[in-house]
Amino acid sequence: MSSEQPNNPLHGITLETIVTRLVEHYGWDGLARRVSINCFMNEPSVKSSLKFLRKTPWAREQVEDLYISTPALRKK
């Protein structure tokens, strides 16, 4: 299965893992400064963020781009 998308840096990584690692690295405040969406600013939680990001492609893309552009996160 891993040979299906060898050039995709997000292959095999769930959205929950991405959000969790970003929060661990930046904190909710830091994440909200980098990706300006309400689910990171007002009463943030992984569950509410996942619900929003799964329904909102532009926001999910911004979060995924931040994850990809943060090399320390992809080494875990």
Side-chain angles (χ1 to χ4, degrees):
M1 198 178 237
S2 62
S3 63
E4 292 176 15
Q5 297 182 6
N7 295 324
N8 182 353
L10 298 176
H11 182 69
I13 302 173
T14 65
L15 184 58
E16 183 174 7
T17 299
I18 291 171
V19 172
T20 302
R21 288 182 181 171
L22 286 170
V23 170
E24 288 171 355
H25 188 73
Y26 293 113
W28 287 111
D29 290 336
L31 189 53
R33 282 192 301 272
R34 288 164 178 81
V35 181
S36 182
I37 54 179
N38 281 334
C39 67
F40 293 160
M41 296 180 208
N42 301 318
E43 297 182 37
S45 73
V46 172
K47 184 177 178 180
S48 66
S49 299
L50 292 174
K51 185 175 180 180
F52 177 76
L53 293 170
R54 287 181 177 130
K55 294 180 181 180
T56 316
W58 64 265
R60 181 178 181 149
E61 184 177 337
Q62 287 184 16
V63 169
E64 289 174 344
D65 288 348
L66 177 60
Y67 180 82
I68 291 169
S69 68
T70 309
L73 298 178
R74 293 187 292 132
K75 292 179 182 178
K76 288 185 178 183

